[in-house]
C-alpha cells in the first residue's frame, strides 16, 4: 500500500467548493496588491508510477 507523503493530504470532493472559494478570494486579494501566481512542481512517490507502468520507464527514472 502506498502511504501519503508526510505533511500532505488529499482534498476530497465534499471539501472542494470551500477550497475553490478560498482560492478565488486569495486571487482577488493578490490582484489588489499586484502579486502573481506561482506554481511549484507536483511530486508523487516513485512506487505510484512504477507499479502502474513499470520500473524502467522514463517517467519513473526522472
Amino acid at each position: 500500500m502506498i502511504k501519503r507523503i508526510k505533511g500532505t493530504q488529499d482534498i476530497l470532493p465534499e471539501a472542494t467548493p470551500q477550497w475553490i472559494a478560498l482560492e478565488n478570494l486569495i486571487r482577488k486579494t493578490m490582484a489588489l496588491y499586484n502579486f502573481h501566481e506561482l506554481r511549484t512542481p507536483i511530486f508523487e512517490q516513485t512506487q505510484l508510477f512504477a507499479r502502474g507502468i513499470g520500473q524502467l520507464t522514463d517517467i519513473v527514472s526522472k
Side-chain angles (χ1 to χ4, degrees), residues 2-53:
I2 298 174
K3 296 181 181 179
R4 69 178 175 88
I5 297 172
K6 185 178 179 179
T8 64
Q9 63 183 26
D10 293 329
I11 299 172
L12 302 177
E14 58 271 6
T16 302
Q18 293 90 353
W19 277 99
I20 291 171
L22 177 61
E23 290 169 356
N24 288 336
L25 176 62
I26 291 169
R27 282 186 182 95
K28 288 177 185 177
T29 305
M30 289 175 60
L32 289 173
Y33 295 95
N34 201 29
F35 282 97
H36 303 281
E37 185 172 354
L38 171 72
R39 301 238 174 166
T40 58
I42 297 173
F43 60 94
E44 293 286 351
Q45 291 184 349
T46 302
Q47 296 168 335
L48 179 66
F49 296 102
R51 184 179 64 184
I53 60 175

